[in-house]
Amino acid sequence: MKKLLLIFFLAFTVSHVNSTPLRPVNEDQLTTLIDSFSVALVKKDKVWMQANLNDGCKMYDPTGSTLNKSSIIMAFTQGIYSISKSEALNRSIKINGTQADASADLKVEGFGNINGNEMDITGTYRFNLKFVLVESNWQISEITINQ
């Protein structure tokens, strides 16, 4: 009787585990990366940005400027943008091998020093992100910010 119960228990456990849909690991990694990016903006985290922005990363901002990796890091850590709160909402991710496209609405509070004028940049911005897989780690390769 114990063996029969054990067999039923194992069969139920295996069938339950197999019927539970699993999210792809890469999608979870990219979701975490998007959320971490949002946090890094608030913390002005140069180390995070250095590690997670691809060397060829470009950012296209709403003012029409194009920034390279070092300029992106400077913009978010040394005063062009001063973000006090940031939250990633409505994330969508599409993976194609070693590349991925994602978008998220970033709800931010803060100020920007645009052309020498301090401006309130509080609002929700659409971030379109491109990622590249480098040595089993995803990195941000492009950021396009739309209002």
Side-chain angles (χ1 to χ4, degrees):
M1 183 66 171
K2 286 184 182 181
K3 284 184 182 182
L4 185 59
L5 286 175
L6 181 59
I7 290 171
F8 281 128
F9 175 73
L10 288 173
F12 174 75
T13 303
V14 168
S15 68
H16 180 68
V17 168
N18 288 337
S19 68
T20 304
L22 298 174
R23 289 179 63 184
V25 173
N26 284 335
E27 188 174 328
D28 287 341
Q29 292 168 342
L30 291 169
T31 298
T32 299
L33 189 57
I34 292 167
D35 291 340
S36 299
F37 175 65
S38 178
V39 170
L41 297 178
V42 174
K43 290 185 174 184
K44 300 180 181 359
D45 192 340
K46 289 180 188 180
V47 173
W48 187 95
M49 290 181 196
Q50 188 65 39
N52 291 286
L53 297 178
N54 185 267
D55 288 340
C57 186
K58 299 281 186 214
M59 183 178 89
Y60 306 96
D61 73 13
T63 67
S65 297
T66 301
L67 305 175
N68 63 18
K69 179 179 179 175
S70 62
S71 297
I72 296 167
I73 294 170
M74 186 184 80
F76 286 109
T77 64
Q78 296 180 10
I80 293 175
Y81 298 108
S82 181
I83 311 271
S84 59
K85 186 176 181 183
S86 177
E87 179 182 12
L89 307 167
N90 305 318
R91 293 176 298 274
S92 117
I93 298 168
K94 293 179 185 171
I95 300 170
N96 185 12
T98 60
Q99 297 183 355
D101 293 313
S103 60
D105 294 325
L106 257 65
K107 185 176 176 182
V108 299
E109 292 179 14
F111 291 90
N113 189 349
I114 312 299
N115 298 325
N117 299 315
E118 186 173 272
M119 297 175 55
D120 185 357
I121 59 169
T122 298
T124 302
Y125 298 85
R126 187 70 170 172
F127 275 62
N128 294 307
L129 304 161
K130 292 186 184 276
F131 299 92
V132 63
L133 190 60
V134 178
E135 298 177 14
S136 74
N137 292 312
W138 288 101
Q139 292 182 331
I140 299 170
S141 59
E142 185 177 296
I143 305 164
T144 303
I145 306 170
N146 299 297
Q147 287 182 307

